[in-house]
Amino acid sequence: MAQVKQSGQAGIADKSDVLVTIEPREPGTGRHIVVRSPFRLEFGRHITETVEAVLNEQDIDDVAVLVEDKGALEFALRARCETALRRALKE
């Protein structure tokens, strides 16, 4: 299992895009995902599930993820999550 030791960020909080920030948490504390979006009521669960899927694919736990969505499509959200994660894992 990979360990996030620094923060990583990708995207912009602009129309039709998403800003994803990933930060480390204490070992054993699990994941904490926060979604801020004007579309949270309609798509908040799907956004969270997409973030969870990316973290599961990379076997990542003990992270805080902030998603600031402005209407991004799923492929953009997934790409931003993967990029933020790569940056957070870079040493």
Side-chain angles (χ1 to χ4, degrees):
M1 177 182 317
Q3 185 79 17
V4 171
K5 295 183 180 169
Q6 63 185 9
S7 63
Q9 192 173 58
I12 54 173
D14 201 7
K15 185 178 177 183
S16 299
D17 205 346
V18 61
L19 176 64
V20 176
T21 305
I22 297 177
E23 297 183 346
R25 294 185 76 196
E26 291 295 320
T29 57
R31 299 172 180 170
H32 181 70
I33 300 171
V34 174
V35 176
R36 294 186 186 149
S37 173
F39 310 103
R40 189 172 54 83
L41 291 178
E42 296 89 354
F43 301 109
R45 184 185 315 172
H46 185 73
I47 292 169
T48 300
E49 289 171 354
T50 301
V51 173
E52 289 277 3
V54 171
L55 295 174
N56 287 339
E57 290 165 8
Q58 301 295 321
D59 196 25
I60 301 293
D61 281 323
D62 304 325
V63 292
V65 181
L66 174 61
V67 179
E68 297 178 72
D69 174 60
K70 300 294 184 186
L73 297 175
E74 182 179 355
F75 75 89
L77 173 60
R78 180 172 277 279
R80 299 301 193 205
C81 287
E82 291 171 355
T83 301
L85 187 56
R86 260 196 320 273
R87 290 175 178 168
L89 291 171
K90 196 179 249 185
E91 293 196 30

